[in-house]
Structures are given as structure tokens and as C-alpha cells.
Coordinates of all heavy atoms in Angstrom, one line a residue:
Q392 N 99.2 89.7 94.9 CA 99.9 90.9 94.6 C 98.9 92.0 94.1 O 98.0 91.7 93.4 CB 100.9 90.7 93.5 CG 102.1 89.8 93.8 CD 103.0 90.4 94.8 OE1 102.9 91.5 95.2 NE2 104.0 89.6 95.3
G393 N 99.2 93.2 94.5 CA 98.4 94.3 94.0 C 98.7 94.7 92.6 O 99.7 94.3 92.0
R394 N 97.8 95.4 92.0 CA 98.1 95.9 90.7 C 99.1 97.1 90.7 O 99.3 97.7 91.8 CB 96.7 96.4 90.1 CG 95.8 95.3 89.8 CD 94.5 95.8 89.3 NE 93.8 96.5 90.4 CZ 92.7 97.1 90.3 NH1 92.1 97.2 89.2 NH2 92.1 97.7 91.4
A395 N 99.7 97.4 89.6 CA 100.7 98.4 89.5 C 100.0 99.8 89.8 O 98.8 100.0 89.6 CB 101.3 98.5 88.1
F396 N 100.8 100.7 90.4 CA 100.3 102.0 90.8 C 99.9 102.7 89.5 O 100.7 102.7 88.5 CB 101.4 102.7 91.5 CG 101.0 104.1 91.8 CD1 100.1 104.4 92.9 CD2 101.5 105.2 91.1 CE1 99.8 105.7 93.2 CE2 101.1 106.5 91.4 CZ 100.3 106.7 92.4
S397 N 98.8 103.4 89.5 CA 98.4 104.1 88.3 C 99.0 105.5 88.3 O 98.8 106.2 89.3 CB 96.8 104.2 88.3 OG 96.5 105.1 87.2
L398 N 99.6 105.9 87.3 CA 100.2 107.2 87.2 C 99.3 108.2 86.4 O 99.7 109.3 86.1 CB 101.6 107.1 86.4 CG 102.6 106.2 87.1 CD1 103.8 106.2 86.3 CD2 102.9 106.7 88.5
D399 N 98.1 107.7 86.1 CA 97.1 108.6 85.4 C 96.5 109.6 86.4 O 96.4 109.3 87.6 CB 96.0 107.7 84.8 CG 96.5 106.8 83.8 OD1 97.6 107.1 83.1 OD2 95.9 105.7 83.6
G400 N 96.1 110.7 85.9 CA 95.4 111.7 86.7 C 96.3 112.8 87.2 O 97.5 112.6 87.3
P401 N 95.8 113.9 87.6 CA 96.6 115.0 88.1 C 97.0 114.8 89.5 O 96.3 114.2 90.3 CB 95.7 116.2 87.9 CG 94.3 115.6 88.0 CD 94.4 114.2 87.4
G402 N 98.1 115.5 89.9 CA 98.4 115.6 91.3 C 98.9 114.3 91.9 O 99.1 113.3 91.2
P403 N 99.1 114.3 93.2 CA 99.7 113.1 93.9 C 98.7 112.0 94.0 O 97.5 112.2 93.9 CB 100.1 113.7 95.3 CG 99.3 114.9 95.4 CD 99.0 115.5 94.1
G404 N 99.2 110.9 94.3 CA 98.4 109.7 94.5 C 98.9 108.9 95.7 O 99.9 109.3 96.3
W405 N 98.3 107.8 96.0 CA 98.7 107.0 97.1 C 99.0 105.5 96.6 O 98.3 105.0 95.8 CB 97.6 107.0 98.2 CG 97.5 108.3 98.8 CD1 96.6 109.3 98.3 CD2 98.2 108.8 99.9 NE1 96.8 110.4 99.1 CE2 97.7 110.2 100.1 CE3 99.1 108.3 100.8 CZ2 98.1 111.0 101.1 CZ3 99.6 109.1 101.8 CH2 99.1 110.4 102.0
G406 N 99.9 104.9 97.2 CA 100.2 103.5 96.9 C 100.9 102.8 98.0 O 101.0 103.3 99.1
G407 N 101.4 101.6 97.7 CA 102.1 100.8 98.7 C 103.3 100.1 98.0 O 103.3 100.0 96.8
V408 N 104.3 99.7 98.8 CA 105.4 99.0 98.2 C 104.9 97.6 97.8 O 104.2 96.9 98.5 CB 106.6 98.9 99.2 CG1 107.7 98.0 98.7 CG2 107.1 100.3 99.5
R409 N 105.4 97.1 96.7 CA 105.1 95.7 96.2 C 106.3 95.1 95.6 O 107.3 95.8 95.2 CB 103.9 95.8 95.2 CG 104.3 96.4 93.9 CD 103.2 96.3 92.9 NE 103.7 96.7 91.6 CZ 103.5 96.0 90.4 NH1 102.7 95.0 90.4 NH2 104.0 96.4 89.3
D410 N 106.3 93.8 95.4 CA 107.3 93.0 94.8 C 108.7 93.2 95.4 O 109.7 93.1 94.7 CB 107.4 93.3 93.3 CG 106.1 93.0 92.5 OD1 105.4 92.1 93.0 OD2 105.8 93.5 91.5
V411 N 108.7 93.4 96.7 CA 110.0 93.5 97.5 C 109.9 92.3 98.5 O 108.9 92.2 99.2 CB 110.2 94.8 98.2 CG1 111.4 94.8 99.1 CG2 110.3 96.0 97.2
A412 N 110.9 91.5 98.5 CA 111.0 90.3 99.4 C 110.8 90.8 100.9 O 111.2 91.9 101.2 CB 112.3 89.6 99.2
S413 N 110.2 89.9 101.6 CA 109.9 90.2 103.1 C 111.2 90.5 103.9 O 111.1 91.2 104.9 CB 109.1 89.1 103.7 OG 109.9 87.9 103.7
W414 N 112.3 90.0 103.4 CA 113.6 90.3 104.1 C 114.3 91.5 103.6 O 115.4 91.8 104.0 CB 114.5 89.0 104.0 CG 114.6 88.5 102.6 CD1 113.9 87.5 102.1 CD2 115.5 88.9 101.6 NE1 114.2 87.3 100.8 CE2 115.2 88.2 100.4 CE3 116.4 89.9 101.5 CZ2 115.8 88.3 99.2 CZ3 117.1 90.1 100.3 CH2 116.8 89.3 99.2
D415 N 113.7 92.2 102.6 CA 114.4 93.3 101.9 C 113.7 94.6 102.1 O 112.6 94.6 102.7 CB 114.5 92.9 100.4 CG 115.7 93.6 99.7 OD1 116.4 94.4 100.3 OD2 115.9 93.3 98.5
V416 N 114.3 95.7 101.6 CA 113.7 97.0 101.7 C 113.7 97.6 100.3 O 114.4 97.1 99.4 CB 114.4 97.9 102.6 CG1 114.3 97.4 104.1 CG2 115.9 98.1 102.2
L417 N 112.9 98.6 100.1 CA 112.9 99.4 98.8 C 113.8 100.6 99.0 O 113.6 101.5 99.9 CB 111.5 99.9 98.5 CG 111.4 100.8 97.2 CD1 112.0 100.1 96.0 CD2 110.0 101.2 97.0
N418 N 114.9 100.7 98.3 CA 115.8 101.8 98.4 C 115.2 103.1 97.9 O 114.5 103.1 96.9 CB 117.1 101.5 97.6 CG 117.9 100.4 98.1 OD1 117.9 100.1 99.3 ND2 118.7 99.7 97.3
V419 N 115.5 104.1 98.6 CA 115.0 105.5 98.3 C 116.2 106.3 98.0 O 117.2 106.3 98.8 CB 114.2 106.1 99.5 CG1 113.7 107.5 99.1 CG2 113.0 105.2 99.9
R420 N 116.2 107.0 96.9 CA 117.3 107.8 96.4 C 117.1 109.3 96.4 O 115.9 109.7 96.4 CB 117.8 107.2 95.0 CG 118.1 105.7 95.1 CD 118.6 105.2 93.8 NE 119.0 103.8 94.0 CZ 120.2 103.4 94.4 NH1 121.1 104.2 94.8 NH2 120.4 102.1 94.5
N421 N 118.2 110.0 96.3 CA 118.0 111.5 96.3 C 117.8 112.1 94.9 O 117.8 113.3 94.7 CB 119.2 112.2 97.0 CG 120.5 112.0 96.3 OD1 120.6 111.3 95.3 ND2 121.5 112.6 96.9
G422 N 117.5 111.2 94.0 CA 117.2 111.6 92.6 C 116.6 110.5 91.9 O 116.7 109.3 92.3
P423 N 116.1 110.7 90.7 CA 115.4 109.6 89.9 C 116.4 108.8 89.1 O 116.9 109.1 88.1 CB 114.5 110.4 89.0 CG 115.1 111.7 88.8 CD 115.9 112.0 90.1
G424 N 116.8 107.6 89.7 CA 117.7 106.7 89.1 C 118.7 106.1 90.0 O 119.0 106.7 91.1
V425 N 119.3 105.0 89.6 CA 120.2 104.3 90.5 C 121.6 105.0 90.6 O 122.3 104.6 91.5 CB 120.4 102.8 90.0 CG1 119.1 102.0 90.1 CG2 121.0 102.7 88.6
A426 N 121.8 106.0 89.8 CA 123.1 106.7 89.9 C 123.1 107.7 91.1 O 124.1 108.1 91.5 CB 123.3 107.5 88.6
F427 N 121.9 107.9 91.6 CA 121.8 108.8 92.8 C 122.0 108.0 94.1 O 121.7 106.8 94.1 CB 120.4 109.5 92.8 CG 120.3 110.5 91.7 CD1 119.8 110.1 90.5 CD2 120.6 111.8 91.9 CE1 119.6 111.1 89.5 CE2 120.5 112.7 90.9 CZ 120.0 112.4 89.7
D428 N 122.5 108.7 95.1 CA 122.7 108.1 96.4 C 121.5 107.6 97.1 O 120.4 108.2 97.0 CB 123.4 109.0 97.3 CG 124.9 109.4 96.9 OD1 125.5 108.5 96.2 OD2 125.3 110.4 97.3
Q429 N 121.6 106.5 97.8 CA 120.5 106.0 98.6 C 120.5 106.8 99.9 O 121.5 107.0 100.5 CB 120.7 104.5 99.0 CG 119.6 104.0 99.9 CD 119.8 102.6 100.3 OE1 120.6 101.8 99.8 NE2 119.1 102.2 101.3
V430 N 119.3 107.4 100.2 CA 119.1 108.2 101.3 C 118.2 107.7 102.4 O 118.1 108.2 103.5 CB 118.7 109.7 100.9 CG1 119.8 110.3 100.1 CG2 117.4 109.6 100.1
D431 N 117.4 106.7 102.0 CA 116.4 106.1 102.9 C 116.0 104.7 102.4 O 116.5 104.3 101.3 CB 115.2 107.0 103.0 CG 114.4 106.9 104.3 OD1 114.7 105.9 105.1 OD2 113.6 107.7 104.6
A432 N 115.1 104.1 103.1 CA 114.6 102.8 102.7 C 113.2 102.6 103.2 O 112.9 103.1 104.3 CB 115.5 101.6 103.2
L433 N 112.3 102.0 102.4 CA 111.0 101.8 102.8 C 110.8 100.3 103.1 O 111.4 99.5 102.3 CB 110.0 102.2 101.8 CG 109.9 103.6 101.4 CD1 108.8 103.9 100.3 CD2 109.6 104.5 102.6
P434 N 110.1 99.9 104.1 CA 109.9 98.4 104.4 C 109.2 97.8 103.2 O 108.5 98.4 102.5 CB 109.0 98.4 105.6 CG 109.0 99.8 106.2 CD 109.4 100.7 105.1
H435 N 109.4 96.5 103.1 CA 108.8 95.7 102.0 C 107.2 95.8 102.0 O 106.6 95.6 101.0 CB 109.2 94.2 102.1 CG 108.5 93.5 103.2 ND1 107.4 92.8 103.1 CD2 108.9 93.4 104.5 CE1 107.0 92.3 104.2 NE2 107.9 92.6 105.2
N436 N 106.7 96.1 103.2 CA 105.2 96.2 103.3 C 104.7 97.6 103.6 O 103.6 97.7 104.1 CB 104.7 95.2 104.4 CG 105.3 95.5 105.7 OD1 106.2 96.4 105.8 ND2 104.9 94.8 106.8
A437 N 105.4 98.6 103.2 CA 105.0 100.0 103.5 C 103.7 100.3 102.8 O 103.5 99.9 101.6 CB 106.1 101.0 103.1
R438 N 102.8 100.9 103.5 CA 101.5 101.3 102.9 C 101.3 102.8 103.1 O 102.1 103.4 103.8 CB 100.3 100.6 103.6 CG 100.4 99.1 103.4 CD 100.0 98.7 101.9 NE 100.2 97.3 101.6 CZ 101.2 96.8 100.9 NH1 102.1 97.6 100.5 NH2 101.2 95.5 100.7
R439 N 100.3 103.4 102.4 CA 100.0 104.8 102.5 C 101.3 105.6 102.1 O 101.6 106.6 102.8 CB 99.5 105.2 103.9 CG 98.3 104.5 104.4 CD 97.0 105.0 103.9 NE 96.8 106.4 104.2 CZ 96.1 107.2 103.4 NH1 95.5 106.7 102.3 NH2 96.0 108.5 103.7
V440 N 101.9 105.2 101.0 CA 103.0 105.9 100.4 C 102.4 107.0 99.5 O 101.7 106.7 98.6 CB 104.0 105.0 99.7 CG1 105.1 105.8 99.0 CG2 104.5 103.9 100.6
Q441 N 102.7 108.3 99.8 CA 102.2 109.3 98.9 C 103.2 109.6 97.8 O 104.3 109.8 98.0 CB 102.0 110.6 99.7 CG 101.5 111.7 98.9 CD 101.4 113.1 99.6 OE1 102.1 113.3 100.5 NE2 100.4 113.9 99.2
V442 N 102.6 109.5 96.6 CA 103.4 109.8 95.3 C 103.2 111.2 94.9 O 102.1 111.6 94.6 CB 103.0 108.8 94.2 CG1 103.8 109.1 93.0 CG2 103.2 107.3 94.7
V443 N 104.2 112.0 95.0 CA 104.2 113.4 94.7 C 104.2 113.7 93.2 O 103.3 114.4 92.7 CB 105.3 114.2 95.4 CG1 105.3 115.7 95.1 CG2 105.3 113.9 96.9
N444 N 105.1 113.1 92.5 CA 105.2 113.2 91.1 C 106.1 112.1 90.5 O 106.9 111.6 91.3 CB 105.5 114.6 90.6 CG 107.0 114.9 90.8 OD1 107.5 114.7 91.8 ND2 107.7 115.4 89.7
C445 N 106.0 111.9 89.3 CA 106.9 110.8 88.6 C 107.5 111.4 87.3 O 106.9 112.2 86.7 CB 106.0 109.6 88.3 SG 105.3 108.8 89.7
V446 N 108.6 110.9 87.0 CA 109.3 111.2 85.8 C 109.8 110.0 85.1 O 110.2 109.0 85.8 CB 110.5 112.2 86.0 CG1 110.0 113.5 86.6 CG2 111.6 111.6 86.9
E447 N 109.9 110.0 83.8 CA 110.5 108.9 83.0 C 111.9 109.2 82.7 O 112.2 110.3 82.2 CB 109.7 108.6 81.8 CG 110.1 107.3 81.1 CD 109.2 107.0 79.9 OE1 108.1 106.4 80.2 OE2 109.6 107.3 78.8
I448 N 112.8 108.3 82.9 CA 114.2 108.5 82.6 C 114.7 107.4 81.6 O 114.1 106.3 81.6 CB 115.1 108.5 83.8 CG1 115.1 107.2 84.5 CG2 114.7 109.6 84.8 CD1 116.2 107.0 85.6
G449 N 115.7 107.7 80.9 CA 116.3 106.6 80.0 C 117.4 105.9 80.8 O 118.1 106.5 81.5
T450 N 117.4 104.6 80.6 CA 118.4 103.7 81.2 C 119.0 102.8 80.2 O 118.4 102.7 79.1 CB 117.8 102.9 82.4 OG1 117.0 101.8 81.8 CG2 117.0 103.7 83.3
S451 N 120.0 102.1 80.5 CA 120.6 101.1 79.6 C 119.6 100.0 79.3 O 119.8 99.3 78.3 CB 121.9 100.5 80.2 OG 121.7 99.9 81.4
R452 N 118.6 99.8 80.1 CA 117.6 98.7 79.9 C 116.3 99.3 79.3 O 115.3 98.6 79.3 CB 117.3 98.0 81.2 CG 118.5 97.3 81.8 CD 118.1 96.6 83.1 NE 119.3 95.9 83.6 CZ 119.3 95.3 84.7 NH1 118.2 95.2 85.5 NH2 120.4 94.7 85.2
G453 N 116.3 100.6 78.9 CA 115.1 101.2 78.4 C 114.6 102.2 79.4 O 115.2 102.5 80.4
P454 N 113.4 102.7 79.1 CA 112.8 103.8 80.0 C 112.4 103.2 81.3 O 112.0 102.0 81.4 CB 111.6 104.3 79.2 CG 111.3 103.2 78.2 CD 112.6 102.5 77.9
A455 N 112.5 104.0 82.3 CA 112.1 103.6 83.7 C 111.4 104.8 84.3 O 111.8 106.0 84.1 CB 113.2 103.2 84.5
T456 N 110.3 104.6 85.1 CA 109.6 105.7 85.7 C 110.0 105.7 87.2 O 109.9 104.7 87.9 CB 108.1 105.5 85.6 OG1 107.8 105.5 84.2 CG2 107.3 106.6 86.2
W457 N 110.4 106.9 87.7 CA 110.8 107.0 89.1 C 109.9 108.1 89.7 O 109.5 109.1 89.1 CB 112.2 107.5 89.2 CG 113.2 106.4 89.0 CD1 113.5 105.8 87.8 CD2 114.0 105.7 89.9 NE1 114.4 104.8 87.9 CE2 114.7 104.7 89.3 CE3 114.1 105.9 91.3 CZ2 115.6 103.9 90.0 CZ3 115.0 105.0 92.0 CH2 115.7 104.1 91.3
C458 N 109.5 107.8 90.9 CA 108.5 108.7 91.6 C 109.1 109.3 92.9 O 109.7 108.5 93.7 CB 107.2 107.9 91.9 SG 106.4 107.3 90.5
L459 N 108.8 110.5 93.1 CA 109.1 111.2 94.4 C 108.1 110.8 95.4 O 106.9 111.0 95.1 CB 109.2 112.7 94.2 CG 109.5 113.5 95.4 CD1 110.9 113.2 96.0 CD2 109.4 115.0 95.1
V460 N 108.5 110.3 96.6 CA 107.5 109.8 97.5 C 107.6 110.4 98.9 O 108.7 110.8 99.3 CB 107.5 108.3 97.6 CG1 107.2 107.6 96.3 CG2 108.8 107.7 98.1
N461 N 106.5 110.5 99.6 CA 106.5 110.8 101.0 C 105.9 109.6 101.8 O 105.1 108.8 101.2 CB 105.5 112.0 101.3 CG 105.9 113.3 100.6 OD1 107.1 113.5 100.4 ND2 104.9 114.1 100.3
W462 N 106.4 109.4 103.0 CA 105.9 108.3 103.8 C 105.9 108.7 105.3 O 106.9 109.3 105.7 CB 106.7 107.0 103.6 CG 106.2 105.8 104.2 CD1 104.9 105.2 104.0 CD2 106.8 105.0 105.2 NE1 104.8 104.1 104.7 CE2 105.9 103.9 105.5 CE3 108.0 105.0 105.8 CZ2 106.2 102.9 106.4 CZ3 108.3 104.0 106.7 CH2 107.4 103.0 107.0
Q463 N 104.9 108.4 106.0 CA 104.7 108.8 107.4 C 105.0 110.3 107.6 O 105.6 110.6 108.6 CB 105.7 107.9 108.3 CG 105.3 106.4 108.2 CD 106.1 105.6 109.2 OE1 107.3 105.9 109.5 NE2 105.5 104.5 109.6
G464 N 104.5 111.1 106.7 CA 104.6 112.5 106.9 C 105.9 113.2 106.5 O 106.1 114.4 106.6
F465 N 106.9 112.4 106.0 CA 108.2 113.0 105.6 C 108.5 112.7 104.1 O 108.2 111.6 103.6 CB 109.3 112.4 106.4 CG 109.2 112.7 107.9 CD1 108.6 111.8 108.7 CD2 109.6 113.9 108.4 CE1 108.4 112.1 110.1 CE2 109.5 114.2 109.8 CZ 108.9 113.3 110.6
Q466 N 109.1 113.7 103.4 CA 109.6 113.4 102.1 C 110.8 112.5 102.2 O 111.7 112.7 102.9 CB 110.0 114.7 101.4 CG 110.4 114.5 100.0 CD 110.6 115.7 99.2 OE1 109.8 116.6 99.2 NE2 111.7 115.8 98.5
R467 N 110.7 111.4 101.5 CA 111.7 110.3 101.6 C 112.7 110.4 100.4 O 113.9 110.2 100.6 CB 111.0 109.0 101.6 CG 110.1 108.7 102.8 CD 110.9 108.8 104.1 NE 110.0 108.7 105.2 CZ 110.3 108.4 106.4 NH1 111.6 108.2 106.7 NH2 109.4 108.3 107.4
G468 N 112.2 110.6 99.2 CA 113.1 110.6 98.0 C 112.4 109.9 96.9 O 111.2 109.8 96.8
W469 N 113.2 109.3 96.0 CA 112.8 108.8 94.7 C 112.9 107.2 94.7 O 113.8 106.7 95.2 CB 113.6 109.3 93.6 CG 113.5 110.7 93.4 CD1 114.1 111.8 94.0 CD2 112.6 111.4 92.4 NE1 113.7 113.0 93.5 CE2 112.8 112.8 92.6 CE3 111.7 110.9 91.5 CZ2 112.1 113.7 91.8 CZ3 111.0 111.8 90.7 CH2 111.2 113.2 90.8
V470 N 111.8 106.6 94.2 CA 111.8 105.1 94.1 C 111.4 104.8 92.7 O 110.6 105.5 92.0 CB 110.8 104.5 95.1 CG1 111.3 104.8 96.5 CG2 109.4 104.9 94.9
N471 N 111.8 103.6 92.2 CA 111.3 103.1 90.9 C 109.9 102.7 91.0 O 109.5 102.0 91.9 CB 112.2 101.9 90.5 CG 112.0 101.4 89.1 OD1 110.8 101.3 88.6 ND2 113.0 101.2 88.4
S472 N 109.0 103.2 90.1 CA 107.6 103.0 90.2 C 107.2 101.5 90.0 O 106.1 101.1 90.4 CB 106.9 103.8 89.1 OG 107.2 103.3 87.8
R473 N 108.1 100.7 89.5 CA 107.7 99.2 89.4 C 107.5 98.6 90.7 O 107.0 97.5 90.8 CB 108.7 98.5 88.5 CG 110.0 98.2 89.1 CD 111.0 97.6 88.1 NE 112.3 97.4 88.6 CZ 112.8 96.2 88.8 NH1 112.2 95.1 88.4 NH2 114.0 96.1 89.3
F474 N 108.0 99.2 91.8 CA 107.9 98.7 93.1 C 106.7 99.4 93.9 O 106.6 99.2 95.1 CB 109.2 98.8 93.9 CG 110.3 98.0 93.3 CD1 111.3 98.6 92.6 CD2 110.3 96.6 93.4 CE1 112.3 97.9 92.1 CE2 111.3 95.9 92.8 CZ 112.3 96.5 92.2
L475 N 105.9 100.1 93.2 CA 104.7 100.7 93.8 C 103.4 100.1 93.3 O 103.3 99.8 92.1 CB 104.7 102.2 93.5 CG 105.8 103.0 94.1 CD1 105.7 104.5 93.6 CD2 105.8 103.0 95.6
G476 N 102.5 99.8 94.1 CA 101.2 99.2 93.7 C 100.1 99.9 94.4 O 100.3 100.8 95.3
E477 N 98.9 99.5 94.1 CA 97.8 100.1 94.8 C 97.8 99.7 96.2 O 98.2 98.6 96.6 CB 96.5 99.6 94.1 CG 96.2 100.2 92.8 CD 94.9 99.7 92.2 OE1 94.2 99.0 92.9 OE2 94.6 100.1 91.1
D478 N 97.4 100.7 97.1 CA 97.4 100.5 98.5 C 96.1 99.9 98.9 O 95.0 100.4 98.6 CB 97.6 101.8 99.2 CG 97.9 101.6 100.7 OD1 98.0 100.5 101.2 OD2 98.1 102.7 101.4
F479 N 96.1 98.7 99.6 CA 94.8 98.1 100.0 C 94.5 98.3 101.4 O 95.4 98.2 102.2 CB 94.9 96.6 99.6 CG 95.0 96.3 98.2 CD1 96.2 95.9 97.6 CD2 93.9 96.6 97.3 CE1 96.3 95.7 96.3 CE2 94.0 96.3 96.0 CZ 95.2 95.9 95.4

């Protein structure tokens, strides 16, 4: 497994999807959090995911960081950062 995506530093970064089962996808939402509608999905092994920016939100389980991502040249939406890792 790759290390978690680093949110340090200015501007966008690059990462890949991690900790998603090979038979599953990473849901992409139209806002930061599970209350927003699913608008897309990234494959379990997506690489070269561009992270535009991230925000921390409060949830019933504590804080969670959600990131706005682009993939394959298109803005996709928001994903939970715990499913982003360094791109190898």
C-alpha cells in the first residue's frame, strides 16, 4: 500500500486511489461529504489523480478531509482523502 496523500504545500498535487477493493470504485460527489450526490466514480486503481484543493468538514465520526479532484483531464468532484495515496 502507498502512503497517504500529503496535503502539505501550496497548490494542487497528484495522487492515486488506495484502499479500495479491486471489485469496487471510489465514489465521487458533487460536494465535500457523503450528504452530497454521487456524480462519478474512480476505478480502484486510478492513478494520476490531480488534487485541486482539500477542505476539512465535521462529521458524526469526527473531522474528515475531502478533496476536489480531476482525473483524465476532467473535473470529477469530491472524494474522501483517506482513499488517496501517493501515486507510484
Side-chain angles (χ1 to χ4, degrees):
Q392 295 289 358
R394 293 176 290 175
F396 177 76
S397 174
L398 301 176
D399 296 331
W405 295 89
V408 174
R409 70 177 190 133
D410 297 336
V411 174
S413 62
W414 48 265
D415 206 355
V416 295
L417 176 58
N418 292 333
V419 179
R420 299 184 178 276
N421 66 357
V425 296
F427 290 90
D428 291 334
Q429 181 182 343
V430 294
D431 205 346
L433 298 181
H435 72 94
N436 59 351
R438 297 288 175 256
R439 304 277 306 149
V440 177
Q441 182 183 27
V442 178
V443 178
N444 74 310
C445 299
V446 297
E447 188 174 280
I448 64 167
T450 73
S451 61
R452 296 181 181 177
T456 301
W457 284 73
C458 299
L459 180 62
V460 298
N461 298 331
W462 188 60
Q463 295 185 331
F465 297 98
Q466 182 170 314
R467 300 298 178 161
W469 295 84
V470 299
N471 190 313
S472 68
R473 71 184 178 120
F474 296 108
L475 294 175
E477 290 183 0
D478 193 2
F479 295 107

